[in-house]
Amino acid sequence: MPMQSNSPLPRANLAGWLYVSPLVLVLVPFFVAPILVVLAASVFTTDGFGGLTPGFTLSNYAEVLSSGLTLKLYLATIKFTVLTWMFTLLIGFFVAYFLVFHVRNPLLAIGLFLICTVPFWTSNIIRMISWIPLLGKEGLINDALLATGVIRQPLDVLLFSDLAVVIAYVHQLTIFMIVPIFNSMARIDKRVIEAAVDAGASRFEIMRHIVVPMSKSGIALGSIFVVSIVMGDFFVVKVMSGGGSASVVSAFYEDVGVLQYPTAAASAVLLTLVLMGVVALILRTVDIRREITR
Amino acid sequence: MSTAVVEAPETIEPAVSKAIAPSRGQRPWTFYVLAGLFTLYVLALYGPMICIYILSFQDIRGGLVFPMKGHSLHWFVDLFTQARTGDVKGSFDRSIKLALIVTVITVVVSFLAGLGFRRRFVGDNAVFTMMIGSLVAPGLVLGLGTGLLFQALGLNAAWYTSALGAQLSWTLPFGVLVMFAVMSRFNHAWEEAAYDLGASRWQTIRLVMIPVLAPGLVAVALFGFTLSYDEFARSLQTAGSLNTLPLEIWSMTLNVTSPSLYALGTVTTIVSFVVIAVGLGTIVLIQKRRGGGSAHG
Amino acid sequence: MKIERGDIELAGVCKSFDGVSNVVDGVNLKIADGAYCCFIGPSGCGKTTILRMIAGHEDPTAGEIVIGGHNVVGLPPVQRRTAMMFQSYALFPHLTVRDNIAFALRVRGMAKADRLRAADAMIEKVRLTPFADRLPAQLSGGQQQRVALARAAITEPRVLLLDEPLSALDEQLRVQMRQELRRMQRDLGITFIHVTHTQLEAIALADLVVVMDNGRIKQAGPAREVYAQPHDRYVAEFMGGQNVLSGRVEKVNGASFMLGQAAPGAIEVPLRARSSLGIGDKIDIAIRRDDVALVRPGGALPTGCSTSLPSRVLAIEYQGYFVKVMLDTVPDDEFVAYVPEKTFFADPLNVGDVVVATWPTELARPLA
């Protein structure tokens, strides 16, 4: 039953813009303008003390692109992103799958779901440093391994290493996979699965032909969150690698620290472009807006 | 005929064990595997946090790792009295105030945007794309841009101006996305019924939409508060001379190597838990009062 | 301008959502003040859109909607003196029964004590006093419907618009609520316009039945007229209870004509108002299913019956007070006889039996 006209009338346009105008009024000065400022800074020159001289030069980009460090930083960032994405997707998918399809009591399922989501609302920094007593040289894991005789020397690789970085990421970001995948799985009509079982489909076939395709929007949404957060992060890399590793943004942070604004800005612009490209690629597979409003 | 009879038990049996989640009877083996995975996940999620809460209650001999050395509230006192741990109390106050302001703005703006996005209008996709862009853009880069912008305009960066805006660029996209999900369950007929009964647009919003959507609005508020209260990357370059709490924690992670750090973690987590409990409790209470939620959603 | 009466006139009303095709396509209709009018048709026929246009939730693309002598196009519902009862009721989930019913008075700025008093009086009228403080989710379907009715009626409308009011109820309750609607309509003395897709509901309730298809009115008239004297094949088939046969005119003699068709044997049909028939014209005729008599081969035809169509019994359905016998009388159309239970079991038929289908000649009707 058609409820409203599909062709946008002038009046509907005005009302629509009126409702979203506060949003636009925040996002223009605090998202669009800062991005433009960074873009401008990337083509300015600097006096080396934080002062920016308006002008137009591509030397900042040339510097960033010609530096061997850039490639290394991007490779490190991509490594962290891919590893984190893989682990969060695997854990997130199966946790959501367990909650939706294996927990019979719906109230219990929602309770368990909330248990998974509560840490999302607590401080990321605290959750990250909380790995120190576990992974440290005298931490619980090393103690346990020593006590059982598996190792003789405490493992250094646990804390302040790439492993620790990935652990911290997965710890923080799996929730971003669970929530959207849980939502899209919860919308799958259980009778569709029953029908597939009746038709003789195996567990694997059901997973491949029903559950995965129907959770696609949740996987896409979760991937956008995880990828954009890992690629934009500097804090976890800095703390959990103990300064041993760097990512694009952590190098950016160091640049800003020494007031190298133009090269930092050029590197940031490049990163933002890469990130937008990845997000656009994911968005091509699914219409997020329609999925959410459905 | 005889083969059919022989095969019959075989064709029935797999059907029982293959069922994904039978509503009764024996659980499939995958249940136990996935239940194990889930338990491990929850342990890994909460285990480390619980460790630092425990370690924050050590006495003055305490270190950063187990075993526990005595128990006292020493590090909590230390946290709020020692100058070397910085201005914890001040940053705590600022963070709470900022989070409250962000919450109010997030709820109002997200609600209005949610109303606007229900119908298509020219340019709606541009606004939506801008919002997603704001969500995924690297926070530190946005923060730097905002900081430089304020500098260029000759404005002083402060937690209640530049940091407020920078945080909104993060909480608003979340709020609007939550609002989308909430609105999708709002029955358009309620609005029409109000109009039919003579309510003005404002009366419809005030008397019907806001009360009906109250649980969703509380959820948006919960997002707004906690995301702001824990926000770090966007505040770093925009907070000005006075720190918010996450910035304080950040500087502590770099300088402080005593259980004070853990004590601060315990305190801020308690605040988070109180906020979460209030938020979720309010939602449950509203739903309960309505007799199990909207029967006609 | 003050609307005092609930008579409605639709003049050339059209509605298009996409600017290309009309969902409602030139509807003209007069509904008398205080009438019970049912719009009936398959989903997508435009009946709900007409209702929403009368209510003021949708503006017509063309045409006039006149209520009580005033063109109301562009006016809000309150000024039209209409009230709508929504499909599945749209009761406000956060308000009690009393507050739901008092809502219209509240937005009008009536003092709290006054509006609660008025609401309580209305609650008593719909016999919901023990439930006044409950929330909608705590009510049964029938109680929710009464709240919706009371909430709409408290505005003292001249026209009450009901969008599939009974579709959310189960069968037994539906019959009960049907009576309640009719009683309310008589008590309030206002015009009811009721949209449904159930034939039984329409003919049980309505003074005026409007059959719609594809945005157009196919037939509008009293229930008995629409059911017993369908205007064309569409109405006959939609309302049910009729066998529709088609064929060509073979012969016109005086007050009747002979219809030749695929089955052996011509059918004699009274001409009635149709005088312009020529030999060879294609025409549909209708015979009520309960007018069809089945005779064993060789048996004498009842008096007044001139047609005899040999048929085989395809299926038999017991319906209680009658038995539905499906026959292969005509090749392409369904042909069914409703045989009274006692008649049927006096000489029970079996599937596959051969019978002769006949009916009193004067009861066959030519269709447009």
Side-chain angles (χ1 to χ4, degrees):
Chain A
M1 216 161 303
M3 279 293 186
Q4 69 215 29
S5 174
N6 285 327
S7 57
L9 303 162
R11 216 179 57 188
N13 284 333
L14 188 69
W17 275 100
L18 219 62
Y19 281 127
V20 298
S21 59
L23 179 69
V24 174
L25 284 178
V26 173
L27 291 186
V28 166
F30 290 104
F31 166 63
V32 178
I35 290 286
L36 292 178
V37 166
V38 172
L39 200 62
S42 72
V43 294
F44 286 2
T45 50
T46 177
D47 54 11
F49 303 102
L52 289 170
T53 318
F56 182 83
T57 171
L58 291 176
S59 62
N60 302 313
Y61 286 96
E63 194 177 322
V64 169
L65 288 174
S66 63
S67 155
L69 185 65
T70 307
L71 186 67
K72 228 181 91 193
L73 291 174
Y74 269 89
L75 282 179
T77 307
I78 288 168
K79 179 183 73 185
F80 289 134
T81 308
V82 170
L83 284 176
T84 308
W85 177 74
M86 251 169 44
F87 283 114
T88 52
L89 177 59
L90 270 178
I91 300 173
F93 183 85
F94 283 106
V95 165
Y97 182 82
F98 172 74
L99 292 178
V100 174
F101 292 109
H102 277 302
V103 180
R104 290 172 186 169
N105 181 344
L107 224 65
L108 182 65
I110 289 179
L112 293 178
F113 177 72
L114 280 180
I115 286 180
C116 293
T117 51
V118 161
F120 165 75
W121 287 308
T122 64
S123 167
N124 275 333
I125 302 178
I126 294 300
R127 283 200 285 144
M128 191 187 61
I129 59 170
S130 67
W131 282 100
I132 294 172
L134 273 146
L135 298 178
K137 212 166 179 178
E138 296 159 27
L140 283 184
I141 292 179
N142 265 326
D143 283 357
L145 290 175
L146 284 170
T148 51
V150 178
I151 51 168
R152 301 249 173 90
Q153 295 285 316
L155 291 173
D156 285 334
V157 73
L158 290 180
L159 189 61
F160 304 133
S161 63
D162 287 359
L163 176 69
V165 173
V166 174
I167 288 179
Y169 278 141
V170 173
H171 186 225
Q172 282 182 14
L173 302 179
T174 302
I175 186 62
F176 283 97
M177 283 288 188
I178 295 179
V179 173
I181 296 177
F182 178 89
N183 277 335
S184 47
M185 273 186 188
R187 280 199 297 243
I188 298 176
D189 189 340
K190 292 278 192 338
R191 286 171 302 184
V192 173
I193 308 255
E194 277 166 20
V197 172
D198 287 349
S202 71
R203 184 177 290 117
F204 177 72
E205 285 166 331
I206 290 173
M207 184 72 99
R208 201 180 126 205
H209 295 297
I210 299 176
V211 180
V212 171
M214 289 178 98
S215 329
K216 224 175 63 186
S217 63
I219 293 173
L221 199 56
S223 301
I224 289 179
F225 278 119
V226 169
V227 168
S228 63
I229 292 175
V230 175
M231 289 186 80
D233 171 78
F234 70 103
F235 180 71
V236 173
V237 170
K238 190 168 163 55
V239 173
M240 293 307 271
S241 77
S245 298
S247 69
V248 179
V249 180
S250 74
F252 168 86
Y253 177 68
E254 304 298 341
D255 272 358
V256 171
V258 295
L259 303 177
Q260 288 301 320
Y261 290 137
T263 42
S267 142
V269 169
L270 289 175
L271 176 76
T272 308
L273 285 178
V274 171
L275 186 55
M276 294 289 170
V278 173
V279 170
L281 217 65
I282 299 172
L283 279 175
R284 273 180 64 162
T285 63
V286 61
D287 183 349
I288 296 288
R289 185 176 166 191
R290 226 193 56 219
E291 289 296 333
I292 296 171
T293 45
R294 189 173 60 176
Chain B
M1 275 315 281
S2 60
T3 46
V5 171
V6 172
E7 273 176 13
E10 281 178 15
T11 50
I12 291 168
E13 216 169 353
V16 175
S17 63
K18 262 181 197 169
I20 285 274
S23 47
R24 72 199 107 76
Q26 219 192 338
R27 294 178 185 277
W29 60 269
T30 48
F31 171 83
Y32 300 98
V33 174
L34 290 175
L37 174 84
F38 180 80
T39 313
L40 277 180
Y41 173 69
V42 172
L43 270 178
L45 195 59
Y46 286 90
M49 294 164 71
I50 291 170
C51 287
I52 68 159
Y53 307 149
I54 295 172
L55 288 174
S56 64
F57 288 97
Q58 299 177 91
D59 65 24
I60 195 158
R61 295 164 297 150
L64 286 179
V65 291
F66 282 105
M68 281 283 278
K69 297 192 178 81
H71 28 80
S72 73
L73 293 176
H74 171 82
W75 298 107
F76 291 90
V77 179
D78 183 73
L79 186 64
F80 288 98
T81 52
Q82 290 292 314
R84 73 185 158 85
T85 51
D87 181 18
V88 172
K89 201 180 166 304
S91 60
F92 190 75
D93 282 352
R94 278 189 289 280
S95 267
I96 296 272
K97 276 184 209 151
L98 181 57
L100 287 175
I101 299 169
V102 168
T103 304
V104 171
I105 297 176
T106 303
V107 169
V108 173
V109 174
S110 303
F111 176 67
L112 291 175
L115 290 180
F117 276 121
R118 285 191 308 164
R119 286 169 189 253
R120 303 304 306 256
F121 56 89
V122 175
D124 57 347
N125 272 330
V127 178
F128 185 77
T129 307
M130 180 164 78
M131 199 181 82
I132 297 296
S134 185
L135 186 69
V136 301
L140 190 67
V141 174
L142 263 193
L144 177 74
T146 310
L148 288 177
L149 179 68
F150 268 65
Q151 207 179 307
L153 295 175
L155 299 168
N156 276 329
W159 61 270
Y160 47 84
T161 55
S162 45
L164 172 66
Q167 292 199 348
L168 286 174
S169 75
W170 166 239
T171 60
L172 282 180
F174 263 105
V176 176
L177 287 183
V178 174
M179 216 53 227
F180 272 13
V182 171
M183 287 281 188
S184 68
R185 260 164 270 158
F186 184 83
N187 185 354
H188 186 61
W190 285 320
E191 224 180 331
E192 279 196 336
Y195 177 59
D196 199 75
L197 295 167
S200 67
R201 188 169 278 274
W202 170 236
Q203 280 174 322
T204 305
I205 289 177
R206 190 168 55 92
L207 299 176
V208 178
M209 300 200 73
I210 290 178
V212 170
L213 294 173
L217 294 174
V218 174
V220 173
L222 183 58
F223 271 87
F225 189 94
T226 55
L227 290 180
S228 160
Y229 178 70
D230 298 326
E231 211 291 321
F232 168 67
R234 287 168 202 238
S235 312
L236 193 56
Q237 301 291 330
T238 53
S241 51
L242 297 170
N243 275 351
T244 61
L245 192 61
L247 298 180
E248 198 63 37
I249 300 175
W250 155 253
S251 65
M252 276 180 79
T253 57
L254 301 178
N255 318 321
V256 177
T257 48
S258 72
S260 281
L261 186 58
Y262 295 165
L264 183 52
T266 306
V267 171
T268 162
T269 309
I270 288 172
V271 173
S272 292
F273 275 171
V274 168
V275 172
I276 297 165
V278 168
L280 295 182
T282 313
I283 294 173
V284 169
L285 202 74
I286 296 172
Q287 300 285 24
K288 216 172 181 172
R289 264 222 229 126
R290 293 204 191 142
S294 45
H296 311 287
Chain C
M1 182 192 80
K2 183 111 171 87
I3 289 167
E4 300 289 354
R5 292 167 312 172
D7 54 313
I8 297 171
E9 189 176 346
L10 306 177
V13 173
C14 295
K15 177 70 186 179
S16 172
F17 288 106
D18 54 9
V20 181
S21 58
N22 277 341
V23 179
V24 174
D25 193 9
V27 163
N28 296 297
L29 184 69
K30 279 185 180 170
I31 303 165
D33 188 15
Y36 200 119
C37 170
C38 275
F39 279 81
I40 184 167
S43 55
C45 71
K47 55 190 195 300
T48 299
T49 307
I50 290 187
L51 193 79
R52 292 171 54 77
M53 285 193 287
I54 298 173
H57 293 300
E58 215 77 76
D59 285 330
T61 315
E64 283 192 355
I65 297 171
V66 178
I67 302 178
H70 300 276
N71 186 355
V72 296
V73 173
L75 292 182
V78 178
Q79 285 183 41
R80 297 175 183 222
R81 302 285 309 274
T82 59
M84 184 146 164
M85 201 173 115
F86 289 82
Q87 193 170 10
S88 63
Y89 319 130
L91 297 177
F92 303 127
H94 61 297
L95 297 180
T96 60
V97 167
R98 184 182 287 117
D99 289 336
N100 256 289
I101 293 172
F103 185 87
L105 306 177
R106 180 171 177 193
V107 297
R108 238 155 266 196
M110 188 187 274
K112 190 166 184 177
D114 294 340
R115 67 172 188 253
L116 291 186
R117 203 175 313 119
D120 280 336
M122 184 56 82
I123 289 170
E124 209 176 320
K125 213 183 253 178
V126 293
R127 302 192 302 277
L128 281 171
T129 307
F131 307 101
D133 293 313
R134 291 220 189 156
L135 291 166
Q138 301 161 329
L139 299 177
S140 72
Q143 289 162 346
Q144 288 182 11
Q145 201 222 25
R146 299 216 293 268
V147 177
L149 200 58
R151 184 178 72 174
I154 202 155
T155 60
E156 296 183 348
R158 297 309 311 159
V159 181
L160 190 67
L161 304 153
L162 306 101
D163 188 6
E164 310 243 357
L166 303 171
S167 61
L169 306 175
D170 58 35
E171 186 57 38
Q172 268 200 329
L173 203 55
R174 205 176 306 176
V175 174
Q176 202 181 319
M177 286 327 244
R178 213 158 71 189
Q179 289 170 10
E180 191 140 351
L181 282 181
R182 190 70 227 216
R183 185 182 63 82
M184 279 295 279
Q185 193 258 345
R186 259 192 296 262
D187 286 358
L188 296 168
I190 62 174
T191 313
F192 269 39
I193 301 182
H194 172 142
V195 159
T196 177
H197 56 253
T198 315
Q199 292 84 338
L200 265 178
E201 204 171 295
I203 56 178
L205 282 167
D207 304 315
L208 176 64
V209 174
V210 181
V211 185
M212 290 199 60
D213 183 41
N214 261 329
R216 292 168 179 274
I217 293 180
K218 283 290 184 178
Q219 187 171 357
R224 190 153 179 236
E225 191 181 298
V226 172
Y227 182 79
Q229 296 158 34
H231 193 247
D232 61 8
R233 187 185 191 97
Y234 177 82
V235 177
E237 286 180 347
F238 190 79
M239 296 307 293
Q242 305 271 353
N243 292 310
V244 181
L245 310 178
S246 56
R248 290 186 187 281
V249 177
E250 279 189 345
K251 201 159 71 183
V252 181
N253 43 358
S256 67
F257 65 92
M258 301 300 285
L259 180 80
Q261 39 114 38
I267 300 167
E268 188 184 357
V269 185
L271 258 178
R272 299 183 194 263
R274 301 290 297 265
S275 52
S276 59
L277 278 180
I279 298 201
D281 286 355
K282 205 172 175 306
I283 190 167
D284 292 329
I285 64 159
I287 304 106
R288 281 178 66 141
R289 290 174 172 177
D290 50 356
D291 286 338
V292 175
L294 302 178
V295 183
R296 295 271 187 190
L301 294 184
T303 46
C305 300
S306 59
T307 306
S308 62
L309 300 174
S311 322
R312 192 181 297 276
V313 175
L314 293 175
I316 296 167
E317 269 180 15
Y318 181 61
Q319 303 274 336
Y321 61 93
F322 70 90
V323 178
K324 188 174 172 184
V325 182
M326 278 149 272
L327 303 159
D328 69 347
T329 314
V330 277
D332 298 324
D333 283 311
E334 217 183 9
F335 194 94
V336 178
Y338 291 163
V339 184
E341 187 199 27
K342 291 198 176 68
T343 318
F344 182 87
F345 287 104
D347 179 14
L349 294 168
N350 288 309
V351 173
D353 285 359
V354 173
V355 291
V356 170
T358 186
W359 57 84
T361 304
E362 49 163 353
L363 296 179
R365 299 176 42 78
L367 299 173

